[in-house]
Amino acid sequence: MLTIHQKIRSGLLVMITGALLVTSCNKDPEAFAPIVPEVPTGDMLGTVLDASDNDSLYYRLVVRAGMATALNDPGHQYTMFVPNNNAMKQAINALSGGLVPLNAPDAVFSGFIQTQITPEQAFAIVNYNIIPEKVSFASFGNTFPNFQYPSLFNPAPSVSSLLRLTTFPSARNGNWVNNVPATVTDREAGNGYIHNTAALITPPQRYLWNRIDTDTDLEYLKAAILRADSATNQGGAVGNLQGLLLNIGANFTVYAPTDQAFQNILTLAITQALIAQGVPPGTAATQAAALASSPTVFQNPALFPVLTSQVVQGIVVYHVTINRSFTNNFPTTQTNVPTVLNTVIPNHPGIGLSVTMGAPFPTAATVKGAENPAPANIILNASPLLPDPLGTSDQHYLNGVLHKIDQVLIPLPL
């Protein structure tokens, strides 16, 4: 009650002080001139793209998307991420399965855009390449994790009219949009900026779980997630972790151990457990290798006392952070960041991330678990921008990013 009375007295003092100030001024409020919005001058974005020989193929995509008029509206400001003609040719060469060779005439590439890319596909790509505000590249900042900017693209309007896919531009370790280098920045138009990129940046179309569920090198991780969810997915319902990995509102990075990484750690852990039970070391190693040889190890009732759903859940969530981290945005010296496990163990040190940058792509990236003797290596893409389902690092999904790693991260002593 005393606190309430103190708050009431404090509020009265504020009111009395305000009244005294008004009385002491004793004059009419000043009249302020209305704010008049500045009218953009110069060529608008659509006109700038149309006039640029090196942006001609992307402008064909803009026209196919029905966005040319919108980009010339002086009442709206935009920032665009635009691949030049060479980048567009590489994208079309890949989309055509090599049927459109890189040395084909520009008219062939334009024809592919007009006939093989639907207006809906073009609309999705172009809108994902647009931020609805005018932002110079330096303003994107160089923090970790990099700041996310909503694009114009809504991938699921039936879920929410306010939903927008986000892009992740960054001036850290170079200039980047997601994991794609920006080659030319701050080309200013009357109503925005154009930042050219080294590749066509397309919107993600799948969820993290879709990749884990279908990748034949992530079968142990899939089995571990299902084991972790076994206490909550009764009657065939989707479990907690699987549900999060299918949630479009999530924003994760998954450090995904390969099947071999899981086999290695499970063989070691089971061997130690068998030796502790009195099994001779040689026999224990043989039995452990057999048990760990299949992802069904997580469904083996004999191992349930050790691989409980809670233990497995703790291991899985230790491989997930609550942000999207592309390797090009990692710290260049090992830096600890929290994982989902920190929501249960707040004082846990998390995982240590580090990258070695090349020109311009990363040449090495690591992630260290608290109890791992040495950091795990992120298995970098064989080609820097290799896409899903073939890529092994910086794979971008509707609800996060996935990197394959060569060790299971250990949060606590075995």
Side-chain angles (χ1 to χ4, degrees), residues 40-46 70-79 134 189-193:
T41 58
D43 290 336
M44 301 296 110
L45 286 162
L71 294 180
N72 281 330
D73 182 355
H76 292 88
Q77 294 192 335
Y78 299 120
T79 297
K134 186 176 181 179
N191 63 335
Y193 278 116

Side-chain angles (χ1 to χ4, degrees), residues 133-337:
E133 58 180 306
K134 186 176 181 179
V135 190
S136 67
F137 219 94
S139 298
F140 290 133
N142 60 359
T143 59
F144 174 84
N146 48 304
F147 192 74
Q148 57 180 317
Y149 285 78
S151 71
L152 285 182
F153 181 50
N154 184 343
S158 60
V159 175
S160 170
S161 62
L162 301 177
L163 185 64
R164 296 290 183 274
L165 282 188
T166 51
T167 56
F168 296 81
S170 171
R172 181 184 180 88
N173 301 329
N175 294 327
W176 303 86
V177 185
N178 299 350
N179 66 319
V180 176
T183 54
V184 179
T185 62
D186 298 344
R187 292 173 55 198
E188 192 167 8
N191 63 335
Y193 278 116
I194 296 169
H195 306 303
N196 286 113
T197 57
L200 176 64
I201 302 170
T202 57
Q205 301 180 54
R206 302 205 299 161
Y207 292 96
L208 286 162
W209 175 253
N210 299 141
R211 174 62 185 267
I212 295 168
D213 185 36
T214 58
D215 192 321
T216 56
D217 195 31
L218 297 178
E219 292 184 346
Y220 281 76
L221 177 59
K222 174 184 175 180
I225 292 169
L226 295 178
R227 173 62 179 150
D229 280 348
S230 61
T232 60
N233 63 354
Q234 303 298 322
V238 172
N240 292 340
L241 292 180
Q242 186 183 352
L244 287 175
L245 295 171
L246 284 166
N247 185 344
I248 198 169
N251 192 31
F252 295 135
T253 299
V254 175
Y255 300 92
T258 63
D259 286 350
Q260 186 62 58
F262 265 108
Q263 286 183 34
N264 293 343
I265 191 65
L266 288 169
T267 299
L268 174 62
I270 295 170
T271 299
Q272 292 177 345
L274 291 174
I275 291 174
Q277 295 173 16
V279 178
T283 303
T286 301
Q287 292 179 355
L291 288 168
S293 65
S294 166
T296 56
V297 62
F298 290 104
Q299 282 75 50
N300 188 332
L303 296 174
F304 281 179
V306 178
L307 296 176
T308 67
S309 60
Q310 291 80 8
V311 167
V312 177
Q313 184 181 69
I315 293 172
V316 171
V317 299
Y318 188 52
H319 291 76
V320 182
T321 59
I322 310 175
N323 54 56
R324 295 188 208 210
S325 300
F326 296 93
T327 54
N328 48 274
N329 190 238
F330 279 16
T332 54
T333 57
Q334 185 172 298
T335 303
N336 278 20
V337 300

